Amino acid sequence: DTAVSQTPKYLVTQMGNDKSIKCEQNLGHDTMYWYKQDSKKFLKIMFSYNNKELIINETVPNRFSPKSPDKAHLNLHINSLELGDSAVYFCASSQALGVGYGYTFGSGTRLTVV
Amino acid sequence: SQQGEEDPQALSIQEGENATMNCSYKTSINNLQWYRQNSGRGLVHLILIRSNEREKHSGRLRVTLDTSKKSSSLLITASRAADTASYFCATQGAQKLVFGQGTRLTINP
């Protein structure tokens, strides 16, 4: 039973399209995150939510809009996709907000914009 | 930036040998964490060491933390082929968990 599951695993789309990535966790964690991993393996946090409330919003283009319908789900919608959006997007969760908790990651969504 | 920097960027050793990876960071932290990422997979949490701790063990893993030098090391003893992966250190200050760029570890049979 997957702890943090993301769909889809692969996403190939054309520039200008709008796409969504879904994430669900069954760990009962309060806090969820989106990270972006570029081609050089650098992981950068994009957003974090705690109990459906936006906590961290890094300097991400406003074409990216997260939505958390409940604390077990955190989706990422991307408008007007650009070539530079190609990356692997990881969802993660932690037991609670704050320090001292390890993160559980999903297996990633590889987004390719052509 | 509190981003960790791993050293070396790549490491290749023979099965059975020990592997040591280092991480340096710039600002004060609450804790430092190590993660493993197998090719094409998500990150797996290995160990968390708090700023008031100096050493932690978990199975074949040993992590040290020197806050005066702002550095940490991950030692994997008696390496196995299955340890082949990228290893990331991540530092946490007030809130965010910030990752370094990782060390690519290859264990040769």
Side-chain angles (χ1 to χ4, degrees), chain A residues 54-100:
Chain A
L54 180 64
I55 302 297
I56 293 174
N57 184 351
E58 288 293 281
T59 49
V60 176
N62 57 17
R63 297 181 296 102
F64 291 77
S65 52
K67 277 193 173 52
S68 182
D70 56 61
K71 76 171 194 177
H73 295 85
L74 180 61
N75 304 322
L76 184 65
H77 187 76
I78 315 170
N79 289 326
S80 304
L81 278 154
E82 300 177 357
L83 292 176
D85 297 332
S86 295
V88 182
Y89 293 83
F90 286 99
C91 177
S93 71
S94 65
Q95 186 176 334
L97 185 66
V99 297

Side-chain angles (χ1 to χ4, degrees), chain A residues 5 25 31 57 102 105 108:
Chain A
S5 58
Q25 54 96 2
T31 313
N57 184 351
F105 280 79

